[in-house]
Amino acid sequence: MVVFLNSSQSQIYHSQQVGPPGSAISPDLLVDNSGNHLYVLTAQQVDRILVAACPQFPNCTTCLQARDPLCGWCILQGRCTRRGECGRAAQPNQWLWSYEDNYCLHIQSLLPAQHPRQEQGQVTLSVPRLPTLAMDEYFHCAFGDYDSLAHVEGPHVVCVTPPGDQVPPNPPGSDHVTLPLALMFEDVVVAATTFSFYDCSAVQALEVAAPCRTCVGSLWRCHWCPQSSHCVYSEHCPEGEKTVYSAQEVDIQVRGPGACPQVEGLASPQLVPVGWESHLALHIQNLHYFRGLPALYYCWLELPGKLQKLPAFLEETSKDSGLIHCQAQQFHPSMSQRELPVPIYVTRGEIQRLDNAHDLHVTLYDCAVGHPDCSHCQAANGSLSCLWCGDGQPSCRYGPLCPPDTVEQLCPTPTIDVIEPLTGPPEGGLAITILGSNLGQAFTDVQNAVTVAGQPCNPEASLYRISARIVCVISPAPNGTAGPVQVAIKSRPPGISTQHFIYQDPVLLSLSPQWGPQSGGTQLTIHGQYLQTGGNIRAFVGDQPCLIQEPVCPEAIICHTMPQAEPGEAVVLVVFGHVERKLLTTPFRYTANPQLVAAEPSVSFRGGGRLIRVRGIGLDVVWQPLLSVWLEDEDQVKALGGQGQDVNPRRNCGAPAADPQGCIQLESGLLQCSTLCSVNSSSLLLCHSPAVPDGAIPKRVFFALDNMQVDFASASGGQGFLYQPNPRLVPLSHEGLTHPYRLKPGHVLDVEGEGLNLGISKEEVRVHIGDGECLVKTLTLTHLYCEPPHHAPQPANGSGTLPQFVVQMGNVRLALGPVQYEAEPTMSTFPVEAQVGLGLGATVLIAAVLLLTLMYRHKSKQALRDYQKVLVQLENLETGVGDQCRKEFTDLMTEMTDLTSDLEASGIPFLDYRTYAERAFFPGHGGCPLQPELEGPGEEDRCATMHQGLTQLSNLLNSKLFLLTLIHTLEEQPNFSQRDRCHVASLLSLALHSKLEYLTDILRTLLGDLAAHYVHRNPKLMLRRTETMVEKLLTNWLSICLYDFLKEVAGEPLYMLFRAIKYQVDKGPVDAVTGKAKRTLNDSHLLREDVEFRPLTLMALVGPESCGVAGNSEVQRMPARVLDIDTITQVKEKMLDQVYKGTPFSQRPSVHSLDLEWRSGLAGHLTLSDEDLTSVTQNHWKRLNTLQHYKVPDGATVVLIPQLHNGDTVSQRLGQTGCPSGENIPMLEDGEEGGVRLWHLVKATEESEGAKVRHSSLRERERERAGAKAIPEIYLTRLLSMKRTLQKFVDDTFQAILSVNRPVPIAVKYLFDFLDELAEKHGIEDPETLHIWKTNSLLLRFWVNALKNPQLIFDVRVSDNEDAILAVIAQTFIDSCMVSEHKVGRDSPVNKLLYAREIPRYKQMVEKYYADIHQSSPASYQEMNSALAELSGNYTSAPHCLEALRELYNHIHRYYDQALVEMEKGLDSPGLMGRGVGFQAGTLYCPDRLSVPWKRTPWPRRCSWLAACSRSLPWWRTK
């Protein structure tokens, strides 16, 4: 677009592509009525384009620089607009146009430019062309987070700086803090700059050596008080003390750093010898500040490791200057260097330090350091006065310390210690190094003084080191020339080396291998003669260097090739110093890189050693193929890393090459374990899997083909390599590894174990018996079958008298014990008479065998008949289950009728709503998840402030945009765990309980976001688990909304089901140690022993002396049903259930606080306990005492009395919890105490030990097989009996949950309608998906939890057995809700088999439940809000709500920065609703017509404004 500046000038200010490139634009342009759009016509189309896009320019500068004639900067709106959009554009300086104004509004100057942070003052801003405001409008200044009202006088604006306590602290190491300073109108920044607040007390700390100079020389108006040593921001020195003024005080003549009292420099020499008494003096000036103030002076030297103080005195040389004389001192520091700079400074007294005008130090030096011989000493700097003393121990010393008669003027003969190298090529040009002592004092001494084998050697000046080293270049000489090295210093005899140098001619002869991959890494061996020539040997293959592996041997050089761009031949070149040798006869050939196409198998045991076959192309060119694995485990890496090999181990000439197999430590900290592969052909590699230590984690498995690395997955077509745990095998003999296993010839050996075929096949397994092989026939997960040799093999390697049975699986070698062959009958030569006798004997023997066979068959048939009889008995038993169930059901219904009558008086023990909500919100936190913080003495103010802040946070949570942004921000944090999500969701549920309409709105929004997330992935997975905050919020929301439905409808059948379960469990024996019971639905909690028991009815005395019963003046006798094999604790629990039948569990006395007393007659009182002196102990097993143990008869009189002492009983060791939770109390642990183990009904190891018994006879084995088949059916009848007895109560509970005969809770209808809307919105038509959503949201999320945990609803205790039964019923409910077909088979769990016939019926109930709700009338928004408003007042615990807010604040505080960033991104117009507080168009409006700028204010300040809004701060008032 073009703007015409005048009749002859124009310019383009905007270009936009319209239509296809190159298409012509019609001159008929049309502007719409609003003037905002232009219609452009081309041959193909009509386009509507914006005439001006002013909002795209974010600030005034870009707006004016765009030169758009329709755009300008609206100052008071703070945005780029068209003129008509700026309300005050007609007024001067309100709308800036680029064609009239060439600069934006800015702060031209500040007066003052800085301000001390300690005091509050005024700052004047000069802002030219400042717009004029109305009478009731105002500007304000923002110093960071602090705001102050601005007073405008023409172009000048006066603002008040913040008080010192509201200025942020200085950054570390800085003397000031710089804040943004903005001149604002409401929330719009009109002009901005920066403003600094300085701290003079921090200035002097920046430079310890010169605090005064630093203070007065800074950018700030800081002054120095020399007597008190303080830096102050104004003339605030103590009265009577002179001031050193800042350099910024232009009106004062004597000012700045030059006016400070200071040390100018040293008056004595800077060099101070060690061990000689030296006197130090320093110049000092500007002493008039201390005139008349006597003081002691000290010199301080900062020696290594200590600070040395020297007394000093002042010698005044003029009015303002003088000399500081330090006490003479000998210095003996521990010196490792020739010269040691030591800082020095002066103090008045011991504290007041005088400034150093510049870096001030003395240099301590020791002639003996760095001058080990005469030449070094005499070559030292003359200013050091070092001399070589030749007395007892010749050394270099400071001149005065050396006696005159011991000074040596002439140094000894040169000494040559080492020559490197000792060989060189005949062409010369090789640099050799000569090391020794007294090798001259300067390079001129040795310039023409060196010969090597009689030939001149030219020294290099740059490499010469006085007295210690000469580097010279040898001259050419004939091959074979040899001789010593001589160094002849003038006027002294020459020094001759003991080593001889030899000239020799290196020769290259051959090369191996002669080819390798172009990726490099091939280990190349260059064969030849005299290859150890010179010290700088380099090898090349073509143009690429070949990295030499040290050391170079006389007849071989080993190097590794580098990558080459293209395949082809390359000449091998070796450089000896500056001499080259080429191997022209045998070039090296680069081939194409190998390729891997297949690798199998892809699994191995951790022990390694499994053969891996790798197929590919060009594999024979690889020098050293490896199969490697990288391991990550800190302990294993440390343990094995020390034993691992170096990555590039140094070898010795003539020694074999290092084995690349084993483990090496990598620089990254990983451990690399490798095995060497063998090259079978150009297309096949044979590798063995590396061993992996237990606990180490494999990170990468790959093939290392010289320089190439190929991941196993790439070579195997995407199949990664997997390590399985090593197999475990059971010894052959059940008596142990040392006992021989008796083997009959011809029998197949069966070896048991675990994980046998996870990492190997049967063809790879090798089994040996001594030196013979046992052929593997079958290998399964748990069994290995092998065919042993027919004859007993010999022991291998002399390992005992019997052959060992050894299984080899790769590297895993397992010895399972010795094998003893049973003897076979042998045939020998007999006489004819003997043969006849033998024949007759054989006939008799055969007859006997036939007789025995007939008897055996008879016995076998008898055993089969016995087994069939058992089966018939089982069938009769199953038939009799129905009769037994009917009897049990009759007894149960009688009990439930009695219970119903009791409940009519006492009522069902529902939890109060607060306890119910807290248990539902915070499962697993006991009975007191939120404890209000106790107020200590003197903490009332802190607590009031905390309560005020939490109230502000509660108000802030009312912002929907804030809350949603907070939730999304927290969930995006990687370390915000699932547990944290659930906890924060529950805290929000508690904090917003009084605003359930708002919480429901938040939940709808989050569920919508969750659905949008899962629609693009797998919508069936939505709400499957509780992984996000919205899922936990949904659970809590349902818990709130369905509480009334629980109390009125579903609670009664659920409670009756629980009591029926409890009654049935208590009727049968329960093992107090293992927790197993005879009556259960869960086979894992089934007592699988026939325990004889007898029911007893005890007469419990209830009266004044019984614990917990008050108000009874008469003693009552109450029957209590127990079993004679119940432990004393179990008896007490059953008695408490009888006595307190209608009392909530939390109001009952604890079973551990009562003792059981058996009374017989008038004086017979016996206290019973689980353990006492009468307890029976046998073989380290102690049995818990029962009623049977005490021989308590039926009808005995007992009473519960308070405990008078804490006996060490088993029941007391259970422990108590601090808060009543109603959750499971742990059962007795089957532990050991002093070597004694406890048992009740069954010893814990009886079943496992009985399973290990082996029977040898055929009859016993048949019985074992019959028993193994019969026992599960017997147990199943027990489960079936329990299931049929409880069936009515299970049906009633499911019917109450899934019936719509009563009105469906409005929350359920509202939720299901919302899920239907989400499905319709996202185009989900699959009814199965919607079924899953509803199931996951309601039935599985709420009702399954209620079924499994009745203690969340009722004030009851759920035992471990009752919990196991409820888990089976809950699983049945879950299976009934699934859309997939419920299939059961022989291998299905018993728990699923129990309800296999009922689940299809329950599935139909679920389908009908969903259909009836869908067809019912929709829940209106008003009805739902009305119901939510009624529920909002249920939870009224203010302390707990405040505690929830406090914990919620702790979570927000952890991620404050991340949350703040997200808030600022999305909160252009945050909707805040508080008590009389409103928000609109970027301004906060208070109840009394106050308006506060909001948009550019940080969140902490916003919270403060929210709290202060109702207090009507004066500078907020409007007219």
Side-chain angles (χ1 to χ4, degrees):
M1 298 184 184
V2 179
V3 58
F4 288 91
L5 304 179
N6 51 48
S7 59
S8 61
Q9 292 183 350
S10 64
Q11 73 176 41
I12 298 176
Y13 70 90
H14 178 66
S15 298
Q16 181 175 336
Q17 179 66 43
V18 177
S23 58
I25 296 178
S26 172
D28 298 327
L29 302 178
L30 179 64
V31 180
D32 64 2
N33 294 333
S34 65
N36 295 328
H37 296 89
L38 180 70
Y39 291 94
V40 181
L41 178 65
T42 64
Q44 293 82 13
Q45 65 190 47
V46 175
D47 291 270
R48 189 179 75 158
I49 62 175
L50 282 171
V51 174
C54 301
Q56 68 177 329
F57 305 113
N59 52 56
C60 177
T61 302
T62 56
C63 181
L64 298 186
Q65 288 179 349
R67 306 283 288 173
D68 190 325
L70 299 181
C71 297
W73 185 256
C74 188
I75 293 177
L76 297 185
Q77 293 183 15
R79 61 192 185 101
C80 191
T81 67
R82 299 184 65 175
R83 184 180 181 89
E85 297 172 354
C86 185
R88 311 184 188 186
Q91 300 178 19
N93 301 327
Q94 294 281 358
W95 190 72
L96 305 180
W97 192 38
S98 58
Y99 291 94
E100 293 179 352
D101 309 280
N102 55 6
Y103 61 90
C104 298
L105 211 63
H106 65 283
I107 298 175
Q108 193 175 58
S109 64
L110 294 170
L111 188 65
Q114 313 90 20
H115 198 272
R117 64 178 300 128
Q118 288 84 355
E119 65 179 10
Q120 193 173 13
Q122 291 186 343
V123 58
T124 302
L125 289 67
S126 177
V127 187
R129 301 170 59 189
L130 189 66
T132 302
L133 301 181
M135 293 296 293
D136 58 346
E137 295 176 333
Y138 60 89
F139 288 109
H140 62 96
C141 295
F143 294 86
D145 295 340
Y146 178 83
D147 287 87
S148 66
L149 189 64
H151 179 67
V152 181
E153 296 180 356
H156 300 293
V157 180
V158 179
C159 295
V160 178
T161 62
D165 59 349
Q166 295 197 35
V167 178
N170 298 338
S174 177
D175 58 2
H176 69 285
V177 60
T178 300
L179 300 180
L181 171 58
L183 179 63
M184 304 183 68
F185 173 74
E186 295 183 350
D187 62 341
V188 176
V189 176
V190 176
T193 185
T194 59
F195 192 80
S196 296
F197 294 88
Y198 59 88
D199 184 359
C200 290
S201 60
V203 175
Q204 72 179 89
L206 298 179
E207 181 58 59
V208 178
C212 175
R213 296 174 61 86
T214 304
C215 175
V216 301
S218 67
L219 298 174
W220 328 115
R221 298 172 63 88
C222 295
H223 312 292
W224 180 255
C225 303
Q227 295 177 18
S228 56
S229 295
H230 286 135
C231 186
V232 296
Y233 62 88
S234 62
E235 298 182 22
H236 289 167
C237 288
E239 185 176 356
E241 182 176 352
K242 297 181 180 179
T243 303
V244 182
Y245 291 97
S246 169
Q248 308 298 325
E249 297 287 348
V250 294
D251 298 334
I252 299 177
Q253 185 175 3
V254 180
R255 66 181 187 278
C260 290
Q262 55 193 300
V263 179
E264 285 292 330
L266 289 168
S268 58
Q270 186 175 10
L271 292 172
V272 178
V274 172
W276 184 256
E277 189 173 89
S278 303
H279 173 270
L280 302 178
L282 302 99
H283 291 290
I284 188 171
Q285 67 175 12
N286 295 330
L287 295 176
H288 60 279
Y289 295 101
F290 308 121
R291 185 169 292 113
L293 300 174
L296 297 177
Y297 288 87
Y298 295 95
C299 298
W300 299 81
L301 285 87
E302 298 177 357
L303 295 172
K306 72 172 184 177
L307 183 64
Q308 185 161 357
K309 179 179 71 172
L310 301 178
F313 65 90
L314 173 64
E315 177 190 354
E316 293 190 7
T317 57
S318 65
K319 182 179 180 181
D320 283 344
S321 61
L323 288 175
I324 293 291
H325 295 276
C326 306
Q327 177 178 293
Q329 182 73 24
Q330 286 188 16
F331 299 101
H332 298 277
S334 177
M335 296 182 62
S336 59
Q337 58 194 44
R338 186 178 303 171
E339 296 181 356
L340 177 65
V342 177
I344 183 172
Y345 61 90
V346 177
T347 61
R348 293 183 77 251
E350 294 191 1
I351 300 177
Q352 188 176 1
R353 179 168 177 169
L354 300 183
D355 287 25
N356 287 347
H358 50 79
D359 181 25
L360 195 61
H361 67 274
V362 295
T363 302
L364 302 182
Y365 69 94
D366 188 351
C367 289
V369 178
H371 302 133
D373 55 32
C374 177
S375 297
H376 272 104
C377 186
Q378 293 186 3
N381 192 336
S383 61
L384 301 180
S385 302
C386 294
L387 298 176
W388 183 257
C389 296
D391 52 359
Q393 291 185 347
S395 61
C396 189
R397 304 176 193 169
Y398 178 59
L401 295 175
C402 186
D405 56 342
T406 62
V407 177
E408 293 189 4
Q409 302 296 334
L410 189 63
C411 289
T413 301
T415 301
I416 300 175
D417 298 328
V418 178
I419 303 170
E420 292 180 350
L422 292 172
T423 60
E427 292 89 342
L430 179 70
I432 68 170
T433 300
I434 304 168
L435 302 177
S437 60
N438 289 313
L439 300 179
Q441 301 178 18
F443 177 72
T444 55
D445 293 344
V446 299
Q447 191 165 8
N448 297 306
V450 183
T451 60
V452 176
Q455 304 298 321
C457 192
N458 185 26
E460 293 282 348
S462 60
L463 301 177
Y464 173 71
R465 296 294 179 267
I466 294 174
S467 180
R469 184 180 72 183
I470 301 173
V471 178
C472 63
V473 179
I474 63 174
S475 302
N479 186 24
T481 302
V485 174
Q486 294 188 14
V487 178
I489 305 298
K490 58 185 177 180
S491 71
R492 278 180 283 174
I496 302 175
S497 67
T498 57
Q499 297 173 304
H500 281 217
F501 184 86
I502 303 174
Y503 283 89
Q504 60 186 26
D505 188 11
V507 179
L508 307 184
L509 298 178
S510 62
L511 184 70
S512 65
Q514 298 180 10
W515 59 80
Q518 68 183 83
S519 60
T522 303
Q523 180 171 297
L524 207 59
T525 303
I526 306 171
H527 301 278
Q529 297 176 349
Y530 306 116
L531 300 182
Q532 207 173 27
T533 299
N536 182 19
I537 303 176
R538 293 166 295 157
F540 295 85
V541 178
D543 296 332
Q544 297 295 330
C546 191
L547 304 179
I548 292 179
Q549 181 178 340
E550 296 292 342
V552 175
C553 300
E555 297 181 352
I557 297 175
I558 296 179
C559 66
H560 294 268
T561 62
M562 299 292 288
Q564 181 75 8
E566 298 291 339
E569 293 186 348
V571 176
V572 175
L573 169 70
V574 180
V575 179
F576 303 89
H578 295 283
V579 178
E580 297 180 354
R581 296 291 188 270
K582 292 183 179 180
L583 185 60
L584 299 175
T585 57
T586 312
F588 181 80
R589 179 164 54 88
Y590 281 103
T591 64
N593 289 331
Q595 299 179 14
L596 303 184
V597 296
E600 59 179 1
S602 59
V603 65
S604 168
F605 291 126
R606 297 182 75 90
R610 188 176 190 187
L611 183 64
I612 312 295
R613 291 176 173 83
V614 186
R615 302 191 180 276
I617 302 172
L619 303 181
D620 55 345
V621 303
V622 180
W623 162 67
Q624 184 174 270
L626 298 174
L627 176 56
S628 301
V629 56
W630 284 351
L631 305 175
E632 182 183 54
D633 182 85
E634 184 174 355
D635 296 334
Q636 293 292 343
V637 166
K638 289 180 179 177
L640 298 177
Q643 306 169 7
Q645 306 168 3
D646 187 9
V647 179
N648 295 308
R650 185 177 180 91
R651 62 185 183 88
N652 294 321
C653 292
D659 186 3
Q661 304 184 93
C663 297
I664 58 175
Q665 182 88 44
L666 303 179
E667 293 182 358
S668 61
L670 297 177
L671 194 69
Q672 176 177 310
C673 297
S674 305
T675 56
L676 182 62
C677 304
S678 62
V679 180
N680 185 274
S681 66
S682 63
S683 60
L684 178 62
L685 293 179
L686 299 179
C687 308
H688 289 87
S689 58
V692 173
D694 290 335
I697 303 173
K699 302 298 291 183
R700 181 189 180 199
V701 180
F702 61 95
F703 295 97
L705 308 178
D706 295 345
N707 273 4
M708 286 181 59
Q709 290 187 356
V710 182
D711 284 331
F712 190 96
S714 301
S716 62
Q719 181 66 42
F721 196 83
L722 178 65
Y723 275 99
Q724 294 285 1
N726 287 335
R728 291 189 293 175
L729 291 173
V730 179
L732 286 179
S733 175
H734 295 285
E735 298 177 358
L737 285 173
T738 57
H739 292 76
Y741 175 79
R742 292 186 170 274
L743 174 64
K744 291 184 178 181
H747 284 205
V748 175
L749 274 171
D750 175 12
V751 185
E752 297 180 358
E754 296 179 5
L756 304 184
N757 64 351
L758 294 178
I760 206 166
S761 63
K762 74 180 183 67
E763 291 79 12
E764 300 171 90
V765 180
R766 293 292 176 264
V767 181
H768 294 276
I769 303 177
D771 59 359
E773 184 174 2
C774 189
L775 300 177
V776 179
K777 297 298 184 181
T778 305
L779 182 68
T780 66
L781 185 66
T782 57
H783 287 272
L784 182 150
Y785 300 93
C786 72
E787 183 180 348
H790 295 292
H791 303 287
Q794 296 298 316
N797 302 325
S799 57
T801 58
L802 294 176
Q804 288 284 334
F805 187 88
V806 179
V807 179
Q808 190 80 33
M809 296 182 170
N811 290 342
V812 180
R813 184 179 185 275
L814 301 170
L816 305 182
V819 177
Q820 182 177 4
Y821 277 68
E822 294 187 354
E824 295 182 358
T826 58
M827 297 297 292
S828 60
T829 304
F830 290 96
V832 176
E833 296 81 5
Q835 293 182 13
V836 173
L838 183 61
L840 292 175
T843 303
V844 174
L845 180 62
I846 291 173
V849 170
L850 289 174
L851 180 61
L852 290 174
T853 302
L854 292 174
M855 294 176 64
Y856 174 76
R857 292 190 62 185
H858 175 73
K859 294 294 184 181
S860 298
K861 290 181 179 179
Q862 181 65 33
L864 183 60
R865 284 194 295 271
D866 293 341
Y867 178 68
Q868 291 175 347
K869 186 182 295 184
V870 170
L871 293 182
V872 172
Q873 292 175 353
L874 285 174
E875 292 175 1
N876 294 335
L877 181 62
E878 291 180 1
T879 305
V881 166
D883 298 333
Q884 181 183 356
C885 288
R886 280 190 287 273
K887 181 180 181 305
E888 295 282 350
F889 183 75
T890 301
D891 295 342
L892 180 61
M893 289 304 298
T894 303
E895 175 69 17
M896 292 298 104
T897 302
D898 296 339
L899 175 64
T900 303
S901 61
D902 293 338
L903 291 178
E904 290 177 357
S906 61
I908 297 175
F910 283 100
L911 293 173
D912 64 278
Y913 181 80
R914 185 181 68 81
T915 307
Y916 160 79
E918 290 180 357
R919 288 190 182 181
F921 291 179
F922 306 97
H925 285 71
C928 40
L930 294 175
Q931 284 296 331
E933 186 178 2
L934 298 178
E935 297 182 7
E939 294 186 345
E940 292 81 6
D941 294 338
R942 185 186 68 83
C943 292
T945 303
M946 181 187 71
H947 290 176
Q948 181 182 5
L950 294 179
T951 303
Q952 296 174 11
L953 176 60
S954 177
N955 293 335
L956 195 56
L957 291 177
N958 294 329
S959 167
K960 181 178 180 181
L961 191 53
F962 168 82
L963 184 54
L964 292 176
T965 306
L966 174 65
I967 291 174
H968 290 314
T969 303
L970 292 179
E971 290 194 325
E972 289 171 0
Q973 306 310 311
N975 57 347
F976 194 67
S977 65
Q978 181 178 347
R979 182 176 180 180
D980 292 338
R981 290 185 173 96
C982 294
H983 192 63
V984 171
S986 295
L987 294 174
L988 285 173
S989 304
L990 206 56
L992 298 177
H993 195 290
S994 60
K995 309 177 185 67
L996 287 180
E997 305 100 313
Y998 174 61
L999 178 61
T1000 305
D1001 186 30
I1002 295 295
L1003 183 62
R1004 283 177 59 97
T1005 304
L1006 293 174
L1007 282 174
D1009 296 342
L1010 188 67
H1013 172 72
Y1014 276 100
V1015 160
H1016 302 293
R1017 301 172 64 187
N1018 187 351
K1020 294 182 179 180
L1021 298 180
M1022 189 175 82
L1023 300 173
R1024 186 176 181 180
R1025 298 183 180 88
T1026 304
E1027 297 177 342
T1028 61
M1029 291 172 62
V1030 62
E1031 291 166 304
K1032 181 59 178 173
L1033 283 173
L1034 177 59
T1035 304
N1036 297 344
W1037 185 80
L1038 288 170
S1039 301
I1040 296 171
C1041 296
L1042 296 183
Y1043 178 72
D1044 290 338
F1045 182 79
L1046 279 173
K1047 293 189 67 173
E1048 298 169 6
V1049 180
E1052 182 178 351
L1054 184 58
Y1055 183 73
M1056 298 299 287
L1057 171 62
F1058 168 72
R1059 289 303 300 264
I1061 293 172
K1062 182 174 181 61
Y1063 177 80
Q1064 284 300 102
V1065 171
D1066 289 345
K1067 282 182 66 176
V1070 179
D1071 194 303
V1073 176
T1074 64
K1076 296 187 176 182
K1078 182 179 179 180
R1079 297 171 180 265
T1080 183
L1081 288 179
N1082 197 316
D1083 62 336
S1084 63
H1085 281 70
L1086 181 63
L1087 182 64
R1088 304 190 179 213
E1089 293 290 332
D1090 288 324
V1091 180
E1092 295 183 1
F1093 65 96
R1094 184 167 60 94
L1096 302 177
T1097 301
L1098 304 180
M1099 301 309 296
L1101 297 182
V1102 180
E1105 61 181 320
S1106 60
C1107 181
V1109 178
N1112 290 339
S1113 59
E1114 299 180 358
V1115 176
Q1116 300 179 5
R1117 300 171 65 88
M1118 181 177 293
R1121 292 187 294 270
V1122 296
L1123 304 179
D1124 64 335
I1125 59 173
D1126 283 346
T1127 65
I1128 306 305
T1129 299
Q1130 290 176 335
V1131 172
K1132 291 191 290 184
E1133 290 175 347
K1134 291 182 179 181
M1135 289 182 61
L1136 286 175
D1137 286 339
Q1138 297 290 329
V1139 174
Y1140 297 94
K1141 185 178 297 184
T1143 306
F1145 181 78
S1146 62
Q1147 300 176 19
R1148 302 182 185 180
S1150 170
V1151 69
H1152 308 296
S1153 65
L1154 302 175
D1155 278 338
L1156 180 65
E1157 189 178 82
W1158 174 23
R1159 296 183 178 181
S1160 178
L1162 296 176
H1165 291 197
L1166 177 64
T1167 300
L1168 312 182
S1169 62
D1170 289 332
E1171 290 182 80
D1172 57 17
L1173 297 177
T1174 68
S1175 299
V1176 178
T1177 304
Q1178 291 181 345
N1179 297 329
H1180 301 288
W1181 285 93
K1182 179 190 284 188
R1183 185 167 189 175
L1184 299 180
N1185 296 336
T1186 62
L1187 295 179
Q1188 191 181 76
H1189 167 79
Y1190 288 107
K1191 295 182 174 53
V1192 177
D1194 190 17
T1197 300
V1198 293
V1199 64
L1200 292 173
I1201 61 174
Q1203 284 188 353
L1204 300 180
H1205 58 84
N1206 275 334
D1208 186 21
T1209 65
V1210 176
S1211 61
Q1212 289 164 350
R1213 291 199 300 271
L1214 286 171
Q1216 298 283 337
T1217 58
C1219 301
S1221 65
E1223 298 181 3
N1224 296 352
I1225 298 176
M1227 291 187 294
L1228 298 173
E1229 294 293 329
D1230 181 20
E1232 294 188 26
E1233 244 181 321
V1236 177
R1237 303 183 67 183
L1238 302 176
W1239 71 288
H1240 175 204
L1241 301 178
V1242 180
K1243 293 179 181 177
T1245 59
E1246 282 183 355
E1247 294 180 0
S1248 58
E1249 290 177 355
K1252 296 179 181 178
V1253 177
R1254 293 184 176 261
H1255 307 284
S1256 58
S1257 68
L1258 179 63
R1259 180 174 179 82
E1260 288 173 337
R1261 286 198 296 268
E1262 289 293 334
R1263 288 181 178 177
E1264 185 179 1
R1265 295 192 190 98
K1269 181 172 180 59
I1271 288 175
E1273 279 77 10
I1274 294 174
Y1275 294 154
L1276 187 58
T1277 57
R1278 294 183 182 178
L1279 301 177
L1280 285 171
S1281 174
M1282 185 72 169
K1283 176 242 181 182
R1284 293 187 180 182
T1285 306
L1286 298 175
Q1287 187 62 51
K1288 174 187 181 301
F1289 300 95
V1290 174
D1291 288 342
D1292 290 347
T1293 303
F1294 285 14
Q1295 183 67 30
I1297 295 174
L1298 299 173
S1299 174
V1300 293
N1301 293 334
R1302 298 190 181 187
V1304 177
I1306 188 172
V1308 175
K1309 175 60 178 173
Y1310 184 82
L1311 174 62
F1312 282 14
D1313 289 349
F1314 178 65
L1315 293 177
D1316 290 337
E1317 293 175 13
L1318 287 179
E1320 182 178 358
K1321 175 182 178 181
H1322 295 287
I1324 297 176
E1325 300 178 355
D1326 181 17
E1328 185 175 317
T1329 300
L1330 203 53
H1331 183 284
I1332 292 174
W1333 283 7
K1334 294 177 179 179
T1335 299
N1336 291 345
S1337 61
L1338 176 65
L1339 301 186
L1340 302 189
R1341 187 166 297 279
F1342 177 79
W1343 285 117
V1344 169
N1345 195 30
L1347 285 171
K1348 291 177 66 176
N1349 302 288
Q1351 68 271 19
L1352 299 180
I1353 306 169
F1354 311 111
D1355 190 353
V1356 295
R1357 169 187 172 268
V1358 182
S1359 69
D1360 195 65
N1361 281 297
E1362 294 152 6
D1363 182 75
I1365 296 172
L1366 290 169
V1368 174
I1369 296 174
Q1371 184 60 48
T1372 302
F1373 189 80
I1374 292 173
D1375 294 338
S1376 304
C1377 298
M1378 297 294 101
V1379 293
S1380 58
E1381 184 180 355
H1382 184 73
K1383 297 181 180 179
V1384 294
R1386 292 178 56 191
D1387 299 329
S1388 298
V1390 177
N1391 300 341
K1392 289 186 177 291
L1393 292 173
L1394 285 175
Y1395 287 92
R1397 296 173 55 188
E1398 285 79 14
I1399 286 179
R1401 176 165 58 89
Y1402 294 154
K1403 282 180 173 286
Q1404 295 176 1
M1405 293 174 61
V1406 173
E1407 294 287 349
K1408 186 175 185 304
Y1409 179 67
Y1410 288 166
D1412 292 343
I1413 293 178
H1414 182 72
Q1415 294 172 3
S1416 62
S1417 57
S1420 68
Y1421 184 81
Q1422 292 77 11
E1423 291 176 346
M1424 188 64 204
N1425 275 358
S1426 175
L1428 292 173
E1430 183 178 352
L1431 292 171
S1432 295
N1434 284 351
Y1435 195 100
T1436 57
S1437 177
H1440 287 73
C1441 290
L1442 287 176
E1443 182 63 16
L1445 287 169
R1446 189 184 66 81
E1447 290 195 29
L1448 186 61
Y1449 169 76
N1450 292 336
H1451 283 281
I1452 298 174
H1453 186 67
R1454 285 172 55 192
Y1455 307 101
Y1456 173 80
D1457 294 333
Q1458 297 89 333
L1460 189 61
V1461 170
E1462 294 300 324
M1463 306 280 180
E1464 294 295 339
K1465 285 182 181 177
L1467 293 179
D1468 287 335
S1469 297
L1472 292 178
M1473 297 180 62
R1475 184 179 178 183
V1477 180
F1479 186 90
Q1480 184 177 2
T1483 301
L1484 176 70
Y1485 291 94
C1486 296
D1488 51 354
R1489 301 178 58 83
L1490 302 179
S1491 60
V1492 179
W1494 180 265
K1495 180 177 179 182
R1496 301 184 182 274
T1497 304
W1499 279 102
R1501 187 63 177 169
R1502 298 182 189 185
C1503 294
S1504 301
W1505 279 1
L1506 277 172
C1509 187
S1510 60
R1511 294 199 297 266
S1512 305
L1513 297 180
W1515 52 272
W1516 283 358
R1517 291 193 183 278
T1518 61
K1519 296 184 179 180

